[in-house]
Each structure stands twice: as structure tokens, then as C-alpha cells.
Amino acid sequence: MNNEDSKKISKTYIREEGMGDLWNVWYSELHNGQSGLTVKIDKIVESTTSEFQRIDVLETKDFGKMLVLYGSLMVCDNDNNAYNEMLAHVPMFVHPAPKEVLIIGGGDCGTLTEILKHPTVTRCTMCEIDKQVVEVSKRHFPRLTKGLSDSRANLIFSDGKKFINETTELFDIILLDLSDPIGPAADLFQKEFHQRVYDRLTDDGIMVAQTESPFYNKETVTALYQNLRQIFPIVRMYTCFMPIYPSCYWSFAFCSKKYDPIADFDQDRHSRQELDTQYYNDEIHRGAFALPQFVKKLL
Amino acid sequence: MNNEDSKKISKTYIREEGMGDLWNVWYSELHNGQSGLTVKIDKIVESTTSEFQRIDVLETKDFGKMLVLYGSLMVCDNDNNAYNEMLAHVPMFVHPAPKEVLIIGGGDCGTLTEILKHPTVTRCTMCEIDKQVVEVSKRHFPRLTKGLSDSRANLIFSDGKKFINETTELFDIILLDLSDPIGPAADLFQKEFHQRVYDRLTDDGIMVAQTESPFYNKETVTALYQNLRQIFPIVRMYTCFMPIYPSCYWSFAFCSKKYDPIADFDQDRHSRQELDTQYYNDEIHRGAFALPQFVKKLL
């Protein structure tokens, strides 16, 4: 790639430092323009704009290939798969027999692939608004998109809000695998939407939503949990280390009609199943619900 | 500060982007020059060179004041005090009656201040090589250096290696509160030094050492734990989220002659003591020993 090509990349979040023959491009994801992760880009593999958002695939040394949606880093080759595994396996090992699973969002297919590791699942529906995210992911992230070849995968390309309002089906587990509450996913962080998700769960159903960084997004976190508590009888936060997300510390809301995430954790099934994971395990399942004092204060 | 002054700051890790009246300085701490935290600097508060290292105090919006030693970010106002609290309180609530505590390093005094929150302590000795780090910290970090006014604080300005080789005293707890294994602290990550520390512990003593990032410093972590296991009968890793350290995910080695960090955790004393903390609590004490799969593989 020459300097001319690199100029086509948006200046909003990819900074060039070119001097003569040097070509230096850094991806920086800053919180309020003040601090955050910066990563040196070896190559811009693909850069496109779909009907909904800008999509970039960037090649780096430390993280391998990275997928960027709407200016937010979503997944990469070397993030230990923490986000996808924690979103998927925590509710899967709490619900005693999860058969019907719905993912809203999740276009990179990493969560779908984790869900389909469970033999109890008869169908995993994924409702993603942007078909191009799935196509780009298929081209560049074979490990994440492995689940697509599973006959239990059921892809629907539609707005998650529209889908959840119109469907009459019930699900054992619904996962909100969304990008940040700006851009295409903004509405899916609202209370009205969470109430509709509650209504589409079976009587012992579980919803898990990604709920941003407890370090950077304090007000968003507090507001989200206040809303969720008005809908679900059981709401518990858990966290994981995620090296490419803002502050590298990420939170999830475990929202349940009946099951407790620790008391009802199915240790036997976990031991029998011998899941192949990079991050999740039984100790992490329990340990992830321990929250530091500064996080407890937000809730 | 004008552009002329800012130019005195080393270019190795503070990057200027000046154009006309604009003055833009960013602090970036990169792993192998490839990725890491970048923070916008509002003001360079103090920048000096001691006998041992370069010392900077930088003012930022997201993190408040930050202390940088030898090009590594050590502490700041808004890091939730995670590192200091996890280093200090985990062994303090496992040992049944810690009286004599030794800190090697720890010049910012944050760990000293946490240790002295415990009424069991009769003396906390801190052996720091660089007096100027303590002086700079006193000027800019009053919360961290509060412990200095406690009569149980015993400061020694000396090389940690020399001190541990020469002292005949025994300690209940020894904490290795060191900067990275480059620069002045390099020797203190070696097996010979750990053996000497073992020898200066009482029969039921505990050593805790900071052991770098399990994400970025994989080989260092593996080598360190191999060494520690040859010396201590009980060696367990625990981790914390630390927003200003490389990868924001940090590890500690709990090394003990007798006590198990979870089985021997003194829940009653913790409940009675009502510690004022930003990060540490009893759930975190237990949860911090749960390690993700990719970390278990290193050990």
C-alpha cells in the first residue's frame, strides 16, 4: 500500500505518520479523545462501507488481524477469545438444557461458534443487521466463523429490534452481542428493547448482554443496570479481561428469570464436556462474578 | 509550558505533535513498539533524573497525575489503586498475625500505605533504592504517601539486593514491589534473589511479587514461576485489572511456606476490619486466583 491509498482511510481513528518512504499507520481507539489503546498497523487488509457502517480489517503484529466496525475494535486473532467465550458459556452452563439460543448482533460469528460447541443446542439463531460483517468475517476470521457450517446455525439478516418485535418464538437463552451504544446498535441498549427480549424468553430463560467498560463507561453501566433490574428478577454483573476493548476490562449483565449464575452452575456438565477454550473455565465462571469495590459502587 | 520546554522531554516515550500554537503531547507505553496505552498529556508537572533513573510526573484528564519511572507508568490518581491493594491485602489477610512486613521497592509508597491500614503490623520496612522517587511521590501523590507519617513506617534507602543479603532480621511478609525487569530492578527478578528473600521469611512467612503481564510478557511469566516453584512449596498466581499497566491485566505470585491463599483467607478479620479500598474485597480475594485458560498454559 502506498501513501496515496492510505489516505483513503478515514482520519477519524487511523492516524498516519508518513515521512518520505516511511509509512506508519496507527489505529487508536480513544475514550473522549484522551486515552486508550494504540496499535501499529502493518497492513490495511480491507476497508469498506456497508449500508450500515464502515468496516475495516487491519493486520497487526501483536493482535493479528483485527475487525473494526464503526470505529470500534470488535475481534482479532489474538485476544484469547475472551469476550465471545464469556458471553456464550456462562449462561450455557447455568441453564440446565439450553436448546433454542438467539444471538442479536454478533456478526463476526465468534459467539455463534462458541454456542454451537454445546451438544444440547438444537438451533442457534443469529439476527445480524449487516450481512457484510458476516461476509468480511468469513473471509478473514476462519476460527470465529467455523460455526457457520453447522446445520444448527440459523442466520437472519434483519434489524434486531424489528426481529424481536415480530417473532412469536421463545428462546432459552438470548445474547445481546452488540457493538457500542452509538451507531447501528444504539436502540438495542434501551429498556423497551430489554423488555421485549424478556418476553421472548422461556419461563426459565436467561439473557446476557455486553454492558461496556466499568472503567470508562461508568454512567452507561449504572443506567443500564438500573433498567435491567426493573425487568429481570436476577441481574448480576460479571467481567473479563479483554485486551482490545476500551480499558481492557469488560462487563456483561447476566439477567435471568430463575437461575442463579453461581448456585446453578452445572459443574458436572462442564467437567464432562471438556470444552476447548482459550479463556473460559469453571474457576473463571465463578471468579468473574467477583467485582472490585469501584465497580460495586456503580451498581 | 511552551514548545521549547516540551522539547526537553525525552522522545523515547513522549511524542509531540506540535503545529503552530497547538501543543499536543502523548504518553505511549508500547510493547515492542507495536501496541499499548496512549494518554494525552495536559501538562508535564515534573521531569527529573535521579542517580538511578528518569522520573516524570504527568497531568492527564482520564488518569489525573501519573508517575513514570524509567519509561514505565507506575501509579496515578485514577487507577482504582488496584495494584497496591492487591499486592498488600491478599497476603495480609492470609497470614494470621502479620507483624513485621518488608517492602522491596515501592517508592511511590502506595503499598506501604495499604500495609499500615492493618492494626496487626508493628513495623513496615520499605527498602527503596531511589530516595527521589519517594520525594517526588510525597509532593504529588498525598493519598499514596499517607503512610509515611505513620510511626510504624521504617524507610531505608538502599539497594534491595544488598539489604536482603546483609540483614539478619526475619519478616512475616515480604513484598517485591518492583518496576519492570529492565533498569534498576532487573536483578530483583532473579532466582538467587528470591532464595534470599525466602531465607529472610519466618517459618510461616509469605512473599508476594509482581510478575508482569500474562498477556504481553508470556516468557517472563513462565520463567519466573518455574524459578519460584523451586524455592517455595506454595506458589499461586493471582491477577487484577490495572488500567495503566501494559495490557491492563497484571499478575502477582503468592509464594508461601505454609499458608494457602484461599483456604487460609481470614474472612472474619476481613469482615471486622472494614478496610477502605477502591479495588480489593473478600470476593475479589478469592476470584483473583481464578485464571483464564491462556494463563494456566503459561504456568
Side-chain angles (χ1 to χ4, degrees), chain A residues 3 18 39 51 53 73 87 111 133-134 148 154 162 174 179 184 187 214 216 219 232 240 250 254 266 269 283:
Chain A
N3 275 330
V39 190
E51 192 185 337
Q53 60 199 330
L73 197 37
L87 182 59
T111 304
V133 175
V134 177
L148 287 175
N154 173 34
K162 187 167 172 282
I174 300 180
S179 48
D187 272 3
Y216 279 130
E219 280 143 42
F232 287 89
C240 77
W250 212 248
F254 178 98
D266 194 340
R269 181 154 50 101
E283 291 166 29

Side-chain angles (χ1 to χ4, degrees), chain A residues 195-218:
Chain A
Q195 180 62 56
R196 282 297 297 163
V197 169
Y198 179 95
D199 295 338
R200 297 334 303 156
L201 284 170
T202 53
D203 288 345
D204 63 351
I206 301 168
M207 174 186 100
V208 177
Q210 75 87 351
T211 52
E212 303 288 293
S213 161
F215 183 75
Y216 279 130
N217 314 116
K218 290 189 164 65

Side-chain angles (χ1 to χ4, degrees), chain A residues 26 30 34-36 38 40 62 80 215 241 247-249 277-281 283 290-294 296, chain B residues 26 30 34-36 38 40 62 80 215 241 247-249 277-281 283 290-294 296:
Chain A
W26 290 78
L30 303 179
Q34 293 292 324
S35 67
T38 190
K40 195 171 182 182
D62 282 347
N80 302 306
F215 183 75
F241 158 64
S247 85
C248 311
Y249 184 56
T277 55
Q278 294 179 59
Y279 191 91
Y280 179 86
N281 60 41
E283 291 166 29
L291 303 177
Q293 291 297 91
F294 80 94
K296 286 190 163 193
Chain B
W26 290 78
L30 302 179
Q34 294 292 326
S35 66
T38 191
K40 195 171 182 182
D62 281 348
N80 302 307
F215 183 76
F241 158 63
S247 85
C248 311
Y249 185 55
T277 55
Q278 293 179 60
Y279 191 92
Y280 180 87
N281 60 43
E283 291 166 30
L291 303 177
Q293 290 297 90
F294 80 94
K296 286 190 164 195

